[in-house]
Amino acid sequence: MIAKPKGTYDLIGLDAKLYNYIYNVVQGYMDNYNYEFIRTPIFEASELFHRGVGETTDIVTKETYDFIDRGERNLTLRPEGTAGVVRSVIENKLYGNQNGPLKYYYFGTMYRYERPQAGRYREFSQMGVEVFNANDPMIDAEVISLGYNLLKELGIEKFTVHLNTLGDLTTRQNYTAALKKYLKPHLAELCPDCQKRYETNPLRIIDCKADKDNDVLKNVPKISDYLTDESKALFTKLKELLTILDIDYEIDERIVRGLDYYDYNVWEYVTDDANISLGGGGRYNNLVKTLDGPDMPAVGFAFGIDRVITELKNILGSQEFTNNVDVYIMSVNDEEKMQALRIAQDLRLNNVMTEINSNNLSLKSQFKMADSLKAKFLVILNSDDLQKGLVNIKDNVTKEEVKIDEGEIVDWILGNI
Ligand code: HAM
């Protein structure tokens, strides 16, 4: 037997049902906010992620799936969705002459060569949104609240938005200098990765998982003390807007995010009990320019769908998503089976979930099958009645039976389910 690759999993059973449920809710939901669907390739030029996500990030240094194709091109399976959407906006000149924001959402698989564990896979799915040509904190508030309300709509209640700001370039330069000065005497106490990050990406030391409980990190300087007036004013405005929108948020200065493109506001949606990050995002005003596009501020976030599925399973249990068939059509001989198939088509075209006996089951087994599918009605065919144009319908709960004209089945069922 050939096994699935490490860190991947088959989407089956309840997980598959919840995936479709999320997908369907998202589609309707994004229309309300006037976001357009976009799909970009699963593989892109490797350079896109090196320049986009950042040379020194964990993702680019340790986690990408890189390959050379038969035409000698350096390609990478996308580790996240933002860089590809930015590339598409630039390449297709989607920004055109627009005055207003460009709003996109996507759904798809991402690939990171991470150490597999609960909630961390090598192939995983994200749903994300990206808004371009948008500088006002109103858009940050819209995007943050969109994700917040979407999780609630899906049935997840117990989470909080962990919010931080990385400020502008001056803020980050001043803060990074202060952080390095503070950390220098403690370098030996940090994990080996953080010792490297000290030179390459010191901000990431703050949210290091290995050093989470290290006392050194408990007393690091606070970025809020280094914000320029402009950065502070923007953050204050955003907090006001989130309060107006009734969003549960808390300031969490450990949120610095693992990708290099962020500036100003960053946030994560974190579950209250297990502290799991269901999604995260932020503003990235320089990425479009870095990837050779126009100077265009942007903001976005992505949910990890696999983690959202796990959270929904914890909340809902398995009962909510079992298939409850509306009608099971019972047939034994060839004539009955042909009619069963035709009646099933009529019902299915009228949005009635219908199942038939396609496996030559005995009548007794068909009754059992109908019960296991939780069928509400049984349509019981027999040749004698069919010749008179009649069919029997049995309510599988009350056990009441009626005999009606075959031509009235659809109307009868629609009137009774
Ligand atoms: P990210 O924080 O790297 O951000 O990923 C977003 C979410 O994807 C995480 O919060 C998590 O739920 C999920 N995720 C990440 N890695 C894994 C994994 N190995 N297995 C399962 N789930 C995972 C981004 O990807 C940014 N592109 C978000 C963004 C959009 N920022 C601006 N626009």
Side-chain angles (χ1 to χ4, degrees), residues 80 82 112 114 119 121 126 130 257 261-262 277-279 300:
E80 56 102 51
T82 310
R112 295 184 194 176
E114 296 199 78
Y121 308 96
Q126 282 187 349
E130 313 293 350
R257 312 277 302 131
Y261 46 64
Y262 294 112
S277 181
L278 298 175

Side-chain angles (χ1 to χ4, degrees), residues 64-126:
T64 50
Y65 277 89
D66 303 311
F67 63 101
I68 297 173
D69 77 359
R70 291 170 200 268
E72 306 280 303
R73 298 172 192 89
N74 286 303
L75 300 170
T76 294
L77 297 185
R78 61 181 180 197
E80 56 102 51
T82 310
V85 175
V86 171
R87 192 236 354 105
S88 178
V89 166
I90 298 169
E91 191 169 350
N92 297 302
K93 296 201 168 43
L94 296 178
Y95 42 87
N97 294 320
Q98 290 242 9
N99 289 323
L102 288 166
K103 312 205 281 188
Y104 292 103
Y105 77 99
Y106 52 90
F107 223 103
T109 48
M110 310 289 156
Y111 300 83
R112 295 184 194 176
Y113 192 83
E114 296 199 78
R115 199 165 59 78
Q117 49 189 292
R120 202 170 284 286
Y121 308 96
R122 290 182 173 173
E123 180 185 68
F124 60 98
S125 296
Q126 282 187 349

Side-chain angles (χ1 to χ4, degrees), residues 27 50 57 84 107 185 205 212 279 317 323 392-393:
Q27 308 267 319
H50 284 256
T57 56
F107 223 103
I205 296 176
K212 188 161 61 73
N323 276 350
N392 301 291
I393 301 181

